Amino acid sequence: TKSSRTLIISLIGAVVLAIGAVYFGAPLFGWLIMIAIFAIYLLTSWNIFREIRATDVERGQVKKLVEVYNAGNVPADSDVEGEGILNSRVRFFKTLSQKQVVVTVQDLPFLKSTWASKEEETVHSHSGVVVLLGLMGTFFGLMLSINAAGSAIDTNATSETTLGIIQNIFASMKGIFGSSLCGLFASLVLSSIHSSYESDHEKLMAELDEFTLFYLIPKTASAENVAANEIRRLIDTVKSS
């Protein structure tokens, strides 16, 4: 499934990110940046994985409900589980049916606008955050290197001392630019799995809108017809008596 592929990609990315952090190395501040990038990467990728898995479950529930309605049956409460978007819509239309409120197709855009805040994507990729953290580590490392180079250019310093400081500066460049590379890699993986989540979420919303249009909205109309028939039957009974 897509959730399994997302989990595998996230784990591979975490391993590569950890190996890259060890390979590049970094000064103390750079290691703090690396840890922050790694923590944000793990937390975000886990949240995206959970949302993709929940989306897949809801899409399966929508298909199951469509099959139940097409068979002419009434879905059981166990067919809609959890606190997802589908369950929220089913409960909403069940309440309307109980109160004999009729909804038409023309009301769907208005209803979607009222649901928008609850049904929008709940997870962000944070790809920009890890890139900025990587750049922060790079610029801070460059600042320290320039400061060290300025200290090395001293009229009292010997050529051997100056050469040793310059060598240390160039030796630390791998770690300095490594934080940006790790940030870019984390951003690439997070953007990739987040685009997968966006695709799944859009498909779920399209399937939910179709289910609402062809199955949930007509139920409110049928509830009105039942109520109207009961009223007519009552009036006929009164007239006959």
Side-chain angles (χ1 to χ4, degrees):
T1 61
K2 185 172 289 188
S3 59
S4 300
R5 292 195 299 269
T6 300
L7 182 60
I8 293 173
I9 293 173
S10 300
L11 291 176
I12 293 174
V15 172
V16 173
L17 195 61
I19 293 174
V22 174
Y23 170 75
F24 289 116
L28 177 61
F29 183 81
W31 275 112
L32 295 177
I33 293 293
M34 294 286 196
I35 292 172
I37 291 174
F38 198 71
I40 292 174
Y41 172 85
L42 290 178
L43 181 62
T44 304
S45 58
W46 173 249
N47 287 336
I48 292 174
F49 164 73
R50 288 175 55 193
E51 288 298 324
I52 289 178
R53 185 173 59 180
T55 301
D56 288 343
V57 170
E58 285 205 83
R59 292 183 66 189
Q61 289 179 343
V62 172
K63 293 179 181 178
K64 185 177 180 180
L65 286 177
V66 169
E67 293 175 356
V68 171
Y69 278 120
N70 287 338
N73 300 322
V74 178
D77 293 337
S78 59
D79 292 332
V80 184
E81 299 176 350
E83 296 296 329
I85 302 173
L86 173 62
N87 194 13
S88 177
R89 286 199 184 188
V90 170
R91 287 201 310 266
F92 177 81
F93 279 95
K94 185 180 291 185
T95 302
L96 292 182
S97 297
Q98 291 173 350
K99 295 184 178 181
Q100 300 176 2
V101 177
V102 179
V103 179
T104 63
V105 176
Q106 289 76 15
D107 297 322
L108 185 58
F110 171 75
L111 293 175
K112 289 185 64 176
S113 65
T114 60
W115 296 330
S117 60
K118 296 181 180 180
E119 297 183 352
E120 64 184 5
E121 297 173 2
T122 57
V123 177
H124 302 287
S125 66
H126 294 125
S127 56
V129 176
V130 291
V131 170
L132 290 176
L133 283 173
L135 290 174
M136 184 187 300
T138 296
F139 281 110
F140 187 81
L142 289 175
M143 181 185 69
L144 293 180
S145 298
I146 293 172
N147 182 57
S151 302
I153 303 174
D154 190 349
T155 55
N156 297 325
T158 62
S159 58
E160 291 80 5
T161 304
T162 302
L163 182 60
I165 294 176
I166 293 175
Q167 287 177 341
N168 291 333
I169 291 173
F170 280 103
S172 64
M173 284 297 169
K174 184 173 71 171
I176 289 172
F177 288 100
S179 62
S180 287
L181 289 175
C182 288
L184 288 171
F185 177 78
S187 173
L188 178 65
V189 178
L190 290 178
S191 298
S192 175
I193 61 177
H194 189 266
S195 64
S196 179
Y197 161 66
E198 286 180 330
S199 175
D200 254 23
H201 186 79
E202 289 174 0
K203 290 178 181 178
L204 171 63
M205 297 311 301
E207 292 170 1
L208 274 175
D209 290 341
E210 183 178 344
F211 177 71
T212 301
L213 181 63
F214 292 108
Y215 296 95
L216 294 181
I217 289 179
K219 288 297 178 181
T220 62
S222 63
E224 181 195 36
N225 294 335
V226 170
N229 291 335
E230 291 294 333
I231 293 174
R232 293 193 190 97
R233 189 177 299 109
L234 179 61
I235 292 174
D236 293 339
T237 302
V238 172
K239 287 182 177 180
S240 61
S241 60

